[in-house]
Amino acid sequence: MIGFILSRLGHGLLIMLGVLVAIFFLFNVLPGDPVALLAGQRSDLSTREAITKDLGLDKPLPLQLLYYVNDVSPVSVHEDTEANLEKYEYSTLVDFGEDVLVWKTPYLRRSFQSNKSVTDILVDHFFGTLWLAAAAMLIATVFGILFGVLASLRPHSTLDHTLVTGSVLGISVPSFVAAILIAITFGYYWSDWTGLSLTGQLYEIDPFEGKQLMLRNLLLPAIALGIRPLAIIVQLTRSSMLDVMSQDYIRTARAKGLSRYNVIAGHALKNALNPVVTAVSGWLASLMAGAFFIEYIFNWKGLGSVTLQAVQNLDFPLVMGSTLFVAFLFVLINILVDLLYVMLDPRVKLD
């Protein structure tokens, strides 16, 4: 088990390094000048040069990449100075004299626009996206499994055809198109009936009662984000249940006189959930990345909104930090999925 986890962590580090390099060079070929945005159009040459040097943008791209990797790596080499100790908050592993090999929390630098720590910005906006993705996945999982089981119990019936057709439609319609339709329909035209609005945040400030949790604001964006995984889970559950229900052990369970509920819930559904679990766990990380446009449409404050704004402002540290954070979530969730898959199906071996 330990060897498997270490192996997957190694693969994950390679993936994150590949993402880092790709986004780094892609961002640096985009048109625009972050120094001009920071200094203003009327700044003099000396001011622009000072900002360029302070941000390290005067160095060749390969050297900028090397410095950035050194900053985000938990094990890195830095000059042993008071400024660096305060900046990185590291623990010294090996002292080379002027330089030290250190262990530290990955340093994602500071935002070009706000000069705030990128880590603090991501933490502030992470939970908004996490709530949105988790709610979307909960809706997709509960209703996806329910509809899939119902469709499998009556194959080729009107109910089955309706659910399958609806799932195909859900897969075909892009999430941002579904989000616009849902927002306009339920948040605008039918808002008096639904009590929902086009925009809103998870927490709102009431002048009399203070900070309040507003779960109803989460409903529309969560449904819009969860439509596609819901449709996929319906089809996965249906096909898996149809396959399991034809197995010999299901016929044996029926022959023993078990009730229909016990056969479905105790035997069929448990064994049919393996592909569904894989899809659900994989979709959670995907939804956190895919929530970007949904957040923009519903004006939801999360990683998506802050990242899109950072791209528009050429805020390189914030874009890189957000991208690496999402990549880390993908790696971590995939490792947890593999472990969960083994727990659910003893036939699967760790390689």
Side-chain angles (χ1 to χ4, degrees), residues 271-305:
N271 292 284
L273 283 181
N274 281 339
V276 178
V277 168
T278 303
V280 168
S281 50
W283 269 103
L284 180 58
S286 300
L287 287 178
M288 294 196 66
F292 284 20
F293 293 105
I294 304 297
E295 291 179 9
Y296 180 79
I297 292 170
F298 288 94
N299 193 30
W300 185 266
K301 292 183 179 180
L303 290 177
S305 60

Side-chain angles (χ1 to χ4, degrees), residues 33-237:
D33 184 7
V35 176
L37 292 174
L38 290 174
Q41 297 297 327
R42 298 183 179 181
S43 59
D44 54 29
L45 182 60
S46 61
T47 301
R48 293 169 57 88
E49 289 178 349
I51 294 176
T52 301
K53 184 176 181 181
D54 182 60
L55 298 178
L57 301 178
D58 57 332
K59 298 179 175 61
L61 278 181
L63 194 56
Q64 291 185 39
L65 175 61
L66 180 62
Y67 286 158
Y68 188 81
V69 172
N70 193 54
D71 278 350
V72 300
S73 173
V75 179
S76 55
V77 177
H78 298 283
E79 291 184 13
D80 190 15
T81 62
E82 290 293 335
N84 280 343
L85 181 59
E86 181 179 356
K87 178 180 179 181
Y88 298 109
E89 298 180 356
Y90 57 76
S91 299
T92 302
L93 297 177
V94 181
D95 191 344
F96 298 114
E98 293 184 357
D99 297 328
V100 288
L101 180 68
V102 303
W103 172 265
K104 68 179 192 310
T105 302
Y107 178 61
L108 300 177
R109 300 186 176 179
R110 306 185 75 84
S111 167
F112 285 170
Q113 293 296 312
S114 63
N115 199 35
K116 293 182 179 178
S117 168
V118 170
T119 301
D120 292 341
I121 295 175
L122 295 180
V123 169
D124 290 341
H125 290 80
F126 166 69
F127 290 100
T129 300
L130 180 62
W131 271 86
L132 178 57
M137 201 68 256
L138 178 63
I139 293 172
T141 303
V142 172
F143 289 98
I145 293 177
L146 176 62
F147 293 156
V149 171
L150 292 176
S152 68
L153 295 180
R154 301 185 59 121
H156 309 298
S157 65
T158 302
L159 176 62
D160 181 32
H161 290 311
T162 301
L163 292 174
V164 170
T165 302
S167 66
V168 172
L169 183 63
I171 295 174
S172 304
V173 177
S175 296
F176 64 89
V177 175
I180 294 173
L181 295 176
I182 290 174
I184 292 176
T185 303
F186 297 98
Y188 182 73
Y189 290 114
W190 293 355
S191 61
D192 292 337
W193 177 67
T194 62
L196 304 174
S197 59
L198 283 171
T199 61
Q201 305 304 321
L202 185 60
Y203 290 96
E204 293 185 355
I205 305 298
D206 185 273
F208 300 102
E209 300 183 9
K211 189 176 183 180
Q212 290 186 315
L213 179 65
M214 306 293 290
L215 289 177
R216 71 168 181 264
N217 293 336
L218 183 63
L219 185 59
L220 292 184
I223 292 175
L225 186 60
I227 284 179
R228 184 175 176 84
L230 187 152
I232 294 176
I233 291 172
V234 168
Q235 296 203 4
L236 282 175
T237 305

